[in-house]
Amino acid sequence: MPVILGIESSCDETSASVCVDGNILSNIIANQTIHAAYGGVVPELASRVHQQNIIPAVQQAIINAKVSKNDIDAVAFTRGPGLLGSLLVGVSFAKSFALAKNLPLIEVNHMQAHILAHFIGDHKPKFPFLCLTVSGGHTQIVLVKDYFDMEIIGQTLDDAAGEALDKTSKILGLPYPGGPLIDKYARLGNANAYAFPEPNIPGFDFSFSGLKTAILYFIRDNVAADPQFLEKNMPDICASVEQRVVTILLNKLKKVAEKYNITQLALAGGVSANTGLRQGLTNLCESKGWESFIPKFEYCTDNAAMIAIAGYYKYLNNEFVGQDVAPLARMPF
Ligand code: KG4
Ligand code: ZN
């Protein structure tokens, strides 16, 4: 019955989780609201706030799981990819805790962990499956052959899907992070009100920079003609933008599934919290007779439960790292 403490600090969420024998018993997430005023994550501020939040988050995770510090068998932590200053806080904490308690350390790749969040709970996919991994920093279609055998089939050539939504919301005058707000407005609007372009990228890769520029000019021209344009049309604009992002993502995912003959499709990463994307994947799978896997909301955005579950599978394989491990801002699979 291995007890794994998971630590996540790659961006602007400080999170700690306890996993006992593959079951998540706690998942504490401390969000950083300080960045809202700046329109994006400020790396220096993020690492300072991680420093303040990490110990309370770990203490609470241990209390909520009703275990003792002495029950922990291994410490799993996000090694990368992410902001270096943010990663350093989690990595240093994990190393110190492991050193003090004489425990093995398990490094986890943040993007693999988003995918492995599907192994929390009962509705688990079977290998191989496809995972559309969409966050503020990544947009990838991943062929998942085994827990730690993953191949990127397609990815963004410029902005990530979440980044495109966050930049759009900035153009619309909404605070960071804009993705959830676009989602909220989109539910009240008409998705066919405005037709934004779908980029013509060959193969399985994505591009969102053209869409972002099209939105920028569209808003600029319409606000010049009517200064009240945004206030009057926010739900329709958000619904139309969201629909375009969702169709770009799902059209490619469908192509990959057909080419590779895969019938299990999953979502992962922060943007998988998006209502339109979740509904779109469900509809696609229903129409094709495929099976969809959509994580619970708390396992979509950054969280330590996904780190702990990834750590659990590595623990079973005896995959440990030494105290000389250092964070990696870029970390391929
Ligand atoms: O995975 P994540 O928490 O952090 C990264 O590793 O980037 O993803 C954050 C991204 C942000 O771009 C945020 O706007 C987006 O996920 N996001 C959403 C929603 N919730 C979070 N985008 C659209 N709809 C949502 N409901
Ligand atoms: Zn993430």
Side-chain angles (χ1 to χ4, degrees):
M1 290 253 293
V3 180
I4 313 289
L5 173 65
I7 306 287
E8 156 64 29
S9 73
S10 63
C11 189
D12 60 342
E13 267 98 21
T14 321
S15 184
S17 167
V18 174
C19 171
V20 178
D21 207 23
N23 299 304
I24 298 298
L25 299 194
S26 62
N27 183 34
I28 301 298
I29 305 172
N31 299 111
Q32 302 187 357
T33 48
I34 193 166
H35 307 288
Y38 299 91
V41 177
V42 183
E44 172 70 21
L45 294 178
S47 47
R48 288 178 193 219
V49 181
H50 280 306
Q51 190 85 345
Q52 290 164 347
N53 288 347
I54 188 106
I55 290 178
V58 170
Q59 280 174 330
Q60 199 57 49
I62 290 172
I63 291 170
N64 286 16
K66 298 191 173 63
V67 296
S68 135
K69 279 201 286 274
N70 300 325
D71 297 330
I72 294 169
D73 294 304
V75 186
F77 62 93
T78 304
R79 185 177 181 194
L83 301 170
L84 202 61
S86 289
L87 290 165
L88 268 168
V89 177
V91 175
S92 302
F93 176 87
K95 284 164 69 166
S96 312
F97 190 94
L99 187 66
K101 294 277 179 195
N102 198 22
L103 296 175
L105 278 168
I106 302 171
E107 65 169 37
V108 173
N109 179 302
H110 179 87
M111 298 311 297
Q112 281 192 334
H114 268 302
I115 296 171
L116 294 173
H118 285 286
F119 293 88
I120 301 171
D122 296 331
H123 186 52
K124 297 179 174 61
K126 291 186 190 71
F127 302 114
F129 65 93
L130 282 178
C131 191
L132 174 66
T133 308
V134 270
S135 71
H138 292 81
T139 301
Q140 300 172 332
I141 296 175
V142 181
L143 176 60
V144 188
K145 301 172 203 168
D146 206 338
Y147 294 107
F148 300 102
D149 184 4
M150 303 183 186
E151 183 186 340
I152 297 170
I153 307 293
Q155 58 191 323
T156 185
L157 303 174
D158 40 58
D159 289 352
E163 195 180 355
L165 290 172
D166 293 339
K167 285 179 178 169
T168 298
S169 70
K170 205 169 175 179
I171 297 169
L172 299 177
L174 302 172
Y176 176 88
L181 291 170
I182 291 187
D183 189 344
K184 212 168 124 199
Y185 278 113
R187 307 283 64 80
L188 309 169
N190 171 12
N192 298 316
Y194 306 107
F196 294 110
E198 178 161 359
N200 188 12
I201 307 293
F204 301 131
D205 288 331
F206 301 99
S207 167
F208 288 98
S209 65
L211 174 63
K212 185 186 61 191
T213 310
I215 295 167
L216 181 69
Y217 291 157
F218 169 83
I219 300 296
R220 185 195 63 186
D221 295 348
N222 280 286
V223 170
D226 173 7
Q228 306 296 309
F229 179 74
L230 281 182
E231 288 78 13
K232 288 184 202 156
N233 299 294
M234 194 63 95
D236 285 353
I237 300 167
C238 289
S240 303
V241 169
E242 182 191 277
Q243 168 162 278
R244 176 51 70 223
V245 171
V246 168
T247 51
I248 292 172
L249 292 169
L250 294 182
N251 285 347
K252 284 279 157 109
L253 184 64
K254 178 166 163 251
K255 269 192 192 172
V256 177
E258 285 167 347
K259 162 98 193 285
Y260 285 80
N261 223 351
I262 304 275
T263 58
Q264 294 180 96
L265 270 50
L267 292 181
V271 183
S272 59
N274 181 263
T275 314
L277 182 58
R278 295 165 85 91
Q279 192 56 52
L281 183 74
T282 306
N283 295 346
L284 169 65
C285 288
E286 272 175 16
S287 74
K288 302 286 288 183
W290 295 342
E291 200 177 354
S292 61
F293 294 85
I294 300 177
K296 277 191 186 168
F297 281 106
E298 67 171 312
Y299 304 134
C300 288
T301 45
D302 290 348
N303 67 88
M306 66 186 195
I307 306 302
I309 195 85
Y312 167 71
Y313 287 107
K314 284 201 165 180
Y315 184 93
L316 297 182
N317 289 342
N318 283 315
E319 278 185 57
F320 304 118
V321 291
Q323 276 284 342
D324 56 346
V325 65
L328 292 172
R330 292 173 163 271
M331 186 177 178
F333 285 175

